[in-house]
């Protein structure tokens, strides 16, 4: 300006920047040189001014922000806009914004986070908000190559709000935002796109990098004295970038739909009581296996014709240090919700096989006993299941047939052809197989002739109801006759009195299991039961 107006010379510009708490920056990657001018002292960047190397910036930035700093410094095509939220030691968070130039430099401005119009940021986490993420993702998708869009949804946020209060639950979300920013792969962008949803767009990321993101988000944290174990539901979609790249909003919708599809099959929340008690139970459950609190109790399986002991079924119990002995209905639904069923299954098979081996060493009468363990939902599809049980048998020294796996009808009917292959492999490896809770599922007779089961187990509901319900009695009789025709042993669950045991024996049922014989026993009690029982009896009945 002239005629007495303001002249924007260098000194005037610097004075204005200083008064506004703002600084300018220029990054020259070919020279490894970052130049800063303006309010650098007020922003906590005096050690870097007037110029420094990229290593100096990395050293001053807090460790959890080094990944976004690296992204900020990575060369990009001319015209590319960059933005990062960086925190340095002893200073408030600053927003760095800039644009890559034709000459290979990146020029920009930085200011305290509070000075920027943060309409494009989530105020709680400092990440991009939903609309800004879609806008940035749309730009990123124009670049050729493989892009991965990951959406991570925090499970049970409502219960965290109920248990901790909204302010403390917000601390969980803020911590997740910081973790996500720190774990981002190079050139990735992250956002909080909903109350409990985060999104990341990566370029050329592999499975290991995606797994690392999830692992970082699910690390335990302590909030208000409680150990919180965040559990994330994750949806991943991939797309090719370039001129024909899909619309970013549509890609985000696909990832969210994947999460919704997974959630659709969930049970209602497990357990009861207030949020704090549930949260405390969850925290206790996380370490229960390592502390040896979860383990098998053993319910006897008895030959109905002779009363001789044939074996045991291993049933999980929780010796809670404050609540006492808990039965499965008090914690297994929560275990399923937390994704712990596979871990519990491995522990139960290992403990049961080892216990049977120990009994066989100290009591000759235990030589012919078997132990049965349930496979939980999804375990039949585990790729390492066969190798695991083969190694269990080998290390425990158990003969073929001593270890039995029980599978439900519903688990088999999810994919009967695949189940047939897996079950035949397990049978060939020396395991015996029982079809559990027979009669409550599809009861398709065709698959029984194709699958290598040794045993049918009649569901306890029909056994308990047969004295008062003629229909239940007919079902029990039909299952026993079916087992005889197919040369399968039949076990009746829920045998609660001597009259039921006599009636089942008269119908030709081979074995009984229930409170009429014994409740599930601790290992030492089971050994005493073995010592006090007749192990030998007449063989189980078969047709013909």
């Amino acid at each position: 300006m002239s005629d007495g107006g303001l002249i924007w010379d260098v000194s005037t510009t610097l004075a204005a920047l200083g008064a506004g708490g703002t600084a300018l920056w220029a990054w020259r990657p070919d020279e490894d040189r970052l130049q800063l001018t303006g309010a650098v002292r007020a922003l906590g960047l005096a050690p870097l001014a007037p110029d420094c190397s990229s290593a100096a910036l990395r050293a001053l930035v807090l460790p959890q922000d080094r990944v976004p700093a690296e992204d900020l410094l990575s060369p990009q095509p001319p015209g590319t806009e960059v933005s990062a939220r960086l925190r340095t030691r002893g200073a408030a968070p600053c927003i760095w914004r800039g644009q890559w130039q034709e000459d290979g430099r990146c020029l920009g401005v930085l200011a305290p986070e509070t000075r920027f119009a943060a309409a494009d940021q989530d105020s709680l986490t400092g990440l991009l908000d939903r609309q800004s993420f879609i806008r940035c993702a749309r730009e990123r998708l124009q670049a050729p190559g493989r892009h991965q869009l990951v959406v991570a949804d925090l499970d049970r946020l409502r219960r965290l709000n109920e248990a901790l209060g909204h302010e403390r639950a917000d601390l969980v979300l803020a911590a997740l935002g910081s973790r996500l920013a720190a774990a981002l792969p190079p050139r990735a962008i992250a956002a909080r796109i909903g109350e409990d949803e985060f999104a990341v767009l990566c370029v050329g990321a592999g499975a290991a990098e995606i797994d690392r993101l999830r692992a970082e988000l699910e690390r335990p944290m302590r909030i208000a004295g409680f150990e919180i174990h965040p559990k994330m539901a994750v949806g991943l979609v991939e797309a090719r970038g370039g001129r024909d790249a899909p619309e970013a909003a549509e890609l985000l919708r696909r990832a969210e739909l994947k999460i919704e599809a997974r959630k659709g099959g969930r049970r209602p929340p497990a357990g009861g009581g207030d949020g704090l008690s549930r949260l405390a139970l969850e925290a206790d459950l996380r370490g229960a296996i390592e502390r040896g609190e979860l383990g098998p109790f053993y319910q006897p399986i008895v030959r109905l014709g002779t009363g001789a002991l044939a074996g045991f079924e291993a049933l999980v119990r929780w010796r809670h240090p404050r609540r006492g002995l808990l039965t499965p209905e008090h914690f297994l639904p929560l275990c399923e919700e937390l994704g712990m069923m596979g871990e519990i299954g491995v522990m139960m098979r290992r403990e049961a096989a080892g216990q049977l081996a120990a009994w066989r060493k100290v009591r000759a009468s235990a030589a012919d006993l078997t132990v049965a363990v349930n496979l939980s939902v999804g375990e039949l599809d585990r790729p390492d299941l066969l190798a695991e049980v083969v190694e269990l048998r080998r290390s425990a020294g158990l003969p073929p047939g001593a270890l039995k796996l029980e599978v439900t009808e519903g688990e088999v009917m999810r994919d009967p052809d695949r189940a047939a292959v897996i079950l035949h492999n397990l049978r060939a490896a020396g395991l015996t197989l029982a079809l559990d809770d027979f009669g409550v599922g599809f009861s398709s007779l065709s698959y029984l002739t194709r699958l290598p089961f040794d045993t049918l187990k009649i569901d306890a509901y029909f056994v308990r109801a047969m004295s008062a319900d003629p229909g239940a009695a007919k079902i029990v009789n039909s299952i026993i006759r079916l087992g005889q025709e197919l040369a399968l042993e039949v076990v009746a669950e829920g045998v609660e009195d001597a009259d039921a045991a006599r009636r089942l024996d008269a119908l030709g049922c081979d074995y009984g299991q229930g409170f009429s014989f014994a409740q599930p026993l601790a290992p030492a009690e089971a050994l005493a039961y073995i010592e006090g029982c007749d192990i030998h009896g007449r063989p189980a009945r078969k047709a013909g």
Side-chain angles (χ1 to χ4, degrees):
M1 297 177 65
S2 57
D3 300 323
L6 180 62
I7 304 299
W8 285 99
D9 56 16
V10 173
S11 61
T12 304
T13 301
L14 292 179
L17 289 171
T22 307
L24 300 177
W25 59 275
W27 164 236
R28 303 170 184 267
D30 57 335
E31 299 178 12
D32 190 28
R33 183 184 180 197
L34 178 66
Q35 295 175 287
L36 294 157
T37 189
V40 289
R41 185 176 299 278
L43 297 175
L45 301 174
L48 305 181
D51 56 33
C52 66
S53 67
S54 58
L57 176 64
R58 294 187 190 99
L60 191 65
V61 166
L62 294 183
Q64 56 265 45
D65 285 354
R66 286 175 186 163
V67 172
E70 197 69 44
D71 196 19
L72 185 75
L73 299 175
S74 297
Q76 302 291 338
T80 302
E81 294 182 357
V82 292
S83 177
R85 176 181 183 266
L86 301 180
R87 291 163 291 181
T88 54
R89 291 175 176 82
C94 288
I95 304 298
W96 295 57
R97 287 181 174 169
Q99 186 177 53
W100 285 90
Q101 308 298 307
E102 292 286 350
D103 61 4
R105 295 180 302 160
C106 190
L107 305 178
V109 62
L110 69 99
E113 188 175 27
T114 54
R115 298 292 180 89
F116 270 98
D120 63 346
Q121 285 189 330
D122 172 57
S123 60
L124 182 62
T125 63
L127 302 175
L128 294 174
D129 63 17
R130 186 184 185 92
Q131 293 306 316
S132 299
F133 177 79
I134 291 174
R135 184 178 65 252
C136 293
R138 187 179 295 124
E139 295 173 359
R140 296 287 184 101
L141 287 168
Q142 296 307 305
R146 282 191 318 113
H147 298 259
Q148 297 80 26
L149 195 151
V150 183
V151 171
D153 180 281
L154 175 63
D155 287 348
R156 306 184 305 281
L157 177 62
R158 179 178 60 82
R159 290 203 292 281
L160 284 175
N161 282 327
E162 293 170 355
L164 300 174
H166 286 274
E167 290 185 0
R168 288 171 174 170
D170 281 350
L171 294 178
V172 175
L173 293 169
L176 291 175
S178 295
R179 288 179 176 183
L180 188 59
L184 283 179
R187 296 184 295 157
I189 57 172
R192 181 181 176 217
I193 59 171
E195 184 183 19
D196 55 359
E197 277 190 331
F198 297 86
V200 175
L201 182 68
C202 308
V203 181
E209 290 170 301
I210 303 299
D211 290 343
R212 178 171 172 254
L213 282 176
R214 183 172 191 162
E216 283 297 309
L217 291 173
E218 292 188 339
R219 280 194 296 111
M221 63 179 73
R222 289 197 71 82
I223 300 290
F226 286 97
E227 189 171 76
I228 309 298
H229 292 258
K231 184 70 175 175
M232 311 302 295
V234 174
L236 168 66
V237 292
E238 289 194 311
R240 302 292 300 183
R243 293 178 57 187
D244 298 324
E247 166 58 35
E250 172 61 19
L251 207 59
L252 185 61
R253 188 183 72 86
R254 290 182 208 165
E256 290 176 312
L257 285 176
K258 284 197 171 185
I259 292 176
E260 290 304 316
R262 291 191 177 98
K263 285 185 171 182
R266 287 186 180 169
R267 295 181 177 184
D274 61 82
L276 281 174
S277 64
R278 280 186 46 81
L279 203 58
L281 186 66
E282 178 180 327
D284 291 344
L285 191 54
R286 287 286 183 179
I289 294 178
E290 290 77 7
R291 294 190 297 268
E293 295 169 5
L294 285 176
F297 273 45
Y298 299 89
Q299 185 164 40
I301 298 172
V302 172
R303 291 182 183 273
L304 291 174
T306 65
L309 177 64
F312 295 92
E313 180 180 358
L315 301 166
V316 68
R317 294 291 186 269
W318 185 5
R319 295 185 182 89
H320 195 283
R322 296 182 304 280
R323 305 185 186 203
L325 188 67
L326 299 182
T327 50
E329 65 270 18
H330 292 101
F331 62 90
L332 273 193
L334 183 57
C335 290
E336 186 171 346
E337 191 176 326
L338 297 175
M340 294 177 62
M341 294 302 291
E343 186 181 2
I344 290 174
V346 170
M347 178 274 295
M348 288 290 290
R349 290 187 289 274
R350 182 183 66 246
E351 293 290 323
Q355 188 62 74
L356 180 58
W359 288 333
R360 288 165 57 86
K361 288 179 181 178
V362 299
R363 289 289 179 269
S365 57
D368 295 328
L369 293 181
T370 63
V371 65
V373 186
N374 290 283
L375 286 180
S376 60
V377 174
E379 282 198 286
L380 199 61
D381 295 327
R382 277 185 46 210
D384 59 343
L385 176 63
L386 180 62
E388 177 213 319
V389 294
V390 168
E391 175 58 23
L392 273 181
R393 271 199 56 220
R394 186 201 64 77
S395 59
L398 296 179
L403 182 60
K404 179 175 291 190
L405 298 181
E406 297 191 357
V407 188
T408 64
E409 280 188 86
E411 186 71 358
V412 171
M413 294 307 296
R414 286 194 304 117
D415 189 344
D417 293 332
R418 176 173 168 75
V421 174
I422 297 168
L423 293 173
H424 277 288
N425 289 337
L426 291 170
R427 179 68 182 276
L431 283 86
T432 49
L433 303 168
L435 185 60
D436 198 14
D437 299 338
F438 188 73
V440 300
F442 295 98
S443 298
S444 171
L445 302 184
S446 61
Y447 72 81
L448 274 180
T449 62
R450 296 189 289 112
L451 300 178
F453 287 109
D454 306 278
T455 305
L456 290 181
K457 299 196 73 173
I458 307 173
D459 185 70
Y461 168 80
F462 299 113
V463 175
R464 293 183 184 126
M466 66 179 184
S467 61
D469 183 350
K474 289 178 181 178
I475 290 173
V476 169
N477 186 42
S478 297
I479 294 173
I480 293 170
R481 291 174 62 84
L482 177 64
Q484 292 172 345
E485 291 296 329
L486 297 176
L488 301 176
E489 295 178 335
V490 180
V491 179
E493 299 181 295
V495 183
E496 296 188 348
D497 54 56
D499 287 341
R502 283 192 291 269
R503 185 172 182 182
L504 288 162
D505 181 45
L507 290 173
C509 185
D510 300 310
Y511 302 97
Q513 173 183 349
F515 288 172
S516 176
F517 307 108
Q519 62 185 354
L521 306 169
E525 296 171 331
L527 178 59
Y529 190 93
I530 293 171
E531 293 169 341
C533 280
D534 172 23
I535 304 294
H536 303 289
R538 71 172 187 260
R541 294 183 181 85
K542 293 294 175 190

